[in-house]
């Protein structure tokens, strides 16, 4: 039952993300969106410090003094860049702000296979290439082609930074733990956001503006549930598949709620990629 509830919450929170961040993408500088996101993520972490503070010590050493801290810190910078670019795309097109995940998924697997020597069956590799091809087709023939020149550059950037985030998670978890991978990148993202946004936006608005509060809670809750569950009891491949499911669901919701694209095209990319992802993770 716990696994079912966790899976449902992961899909729910990740599917909500582009829609709850839409108002911020239209009204705020992208750096401000990463700013309030980091603040809300740290707020969610504060009540857990008395119970999870020991995670900052690995083999008796403060994690910040260990070599493994490099990847969580790098992820913090990458998260800041990712959030900024995601809001640029989200402002123009909700579908585009999620479908980068298809190409990123293929890119991460290819990098971990050929660079970090993680074994991958040939048939799975073929499915992976088809998944990546679906993302390219979306970019060329689907809603991706409606993006402006700036939006298209941001879309490509999203793929690269999302892949870097996942690679940092894969390598960072070996020498750290789920709590470090939640808090340290958030601190890094906050640091970058403060530098980029400065004092141009009052912090009070992070807690009094409804759409900011809602977006911050949705992001922070989803992130904490995902990272904790993967470290504790939820299969990593299942969690990644559920994120892919949520992002495909967003294409269908974008058509019905925001009239993006054509029904056949949106359903084709949404259902096609989820079927391919299912066979990649579970079917073969």
């Amino acid at each position: 039952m716990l696994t079912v509830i966790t899976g449902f919450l992961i899909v729910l929170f990740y599917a909500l993300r582009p829609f709850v961040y839409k108002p911020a993408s239209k009204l705020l500088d992208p750096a401000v969106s990463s700013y309030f996101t980091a603040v809300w993520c740290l707020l969610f972490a504060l009540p857990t410090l008395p119970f999870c503070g020991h995670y900052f010590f690995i083999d008796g050493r403060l994690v910040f003094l260990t070599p493994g801290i490099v990847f969580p810190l790098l992820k913090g910078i990458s998260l800041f860049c990712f959030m900024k670019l995601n809001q640029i795309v989200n402002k123009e097109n909700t579908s585009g702000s999620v479908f980068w995940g298809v190409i990123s998924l293929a890119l991460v697997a290819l990098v971990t296979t050929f660079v970090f020597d993680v074994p991958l069956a040939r048939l799975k590799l073929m499915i992976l290439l088809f998944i990546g091809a679906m993302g390219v087709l979306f970019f060329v023939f689907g809603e991706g082609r409606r993006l402006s020149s700036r939006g298209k550059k941001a879309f490509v950037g999203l793929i690269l930074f999302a892949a870097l985030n996942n690679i940092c998670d894969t390598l960072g978890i070996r020498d750290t733990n789920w709590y470090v991978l939640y808090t340290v990148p958030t601190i890094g993202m906050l640091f970058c956001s403060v530098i980029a946004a400065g004092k141009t936006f009052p912090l009070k608005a992070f807690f009094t503006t409804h759409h900011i509060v809602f977006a911050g809670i949705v992001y922070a809750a989803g992130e904490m549930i995902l990272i904790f569950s993967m470290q504790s009891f939820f299969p990593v491949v299942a969690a990644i598949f559920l994120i892919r499911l949520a992002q495909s669901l967003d294409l269908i919701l974008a058509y019905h709620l925001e009239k993006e694209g054509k029904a056949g095209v949106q359903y084709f990319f949404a259902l096609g990629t989820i079927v391919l992802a299912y066979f990649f993770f579970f079917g073969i």
Side-chain angles (χ1 to χ4, degrees), residues 79-117:
L79 269 178
F80 165 74
C81 298
F82 172 84
M83 181 64 68
K84 281 191 63 176
L85 295 175
N86 196 60
Q87 286 296 78
I88 291 172
V89 177
N90 196 17
K91 182 178 181 180
E92 297 185 22
N93 189 279
T94 302
S95 300
S97 70
V98 296
F99 213 68
W100 49 264
V102 175
I103 305 176
S104 178
L105 174 65
L107 180 60
V108 169
L110 289 173
V111 169
T112 54
T113 299
F114 294 107
V115 177
F116 297 105
D117 200 27

Side-chain angles (χ1 to χ4, degrees), residues 115-222:
V115 177
F116 297 105
D117 200 27
V118 177
L120 188 66
R122 185 172 299 178
L123 191 52
K124 280 185 177 287
L125 183 60
M126 298 243 342
I127 294 175
L128 201 63
L129 293 176
F130 277 112
I131 292 174
M134 290 289 282
V136 174
L137 287 173
F138 167 83
F139 188 73
V140 176
F141 299 107
E143 285 298 286
R145 64 189 172 87
R146 300 184 186 279
L147 294 171
S148 66
S149 176
R150 184 181 185 225
K152 288 176 180 177
K153 291 177 182 177
F155 184 92
V156 174
L158 280 176
I159 296 168
L160 299 178
F161 283 112
L164 180 57
N165 289 342
N166 283 312
I167 291 170
C168 285
D169 282 341
T170 301
L171 300 179
I173 196 65
R174 297 185 307 188
D175 299 315
T176 59
N177 51 65
W178 74 271
Y179 198 68
V180 170
L181 284 176
Y182 176 85
T183 54
V184 174
T186 301
I187 294 170
M189 179 168 63
L190 178 61
F191 181 73
C192 294
S193 301
V194 171
I195 293 175
K199 297 181 179 180
T200 58
F201 197 83
L203 284 175
K204 181 181 177 181
F206 291 178
F207 313 105
T208 58
T209 306
H210 292 161
H211 70 81
I212 290 179
V213 172
F214 190 36
I217 290 174
V218 166
Y219 186 100

Side-chain angles (χ1 to χ4, degrees), residues 225-242:
I225 290 171
L226 175 74
I227 295 177
F228 173 73
S229 63
M230 286 196 300
Q231 179 73 13
S232 304
F233 61 89
F234 207 72
V236 174
V237 292
I240 297 174
F241 173 76
L242 290 174

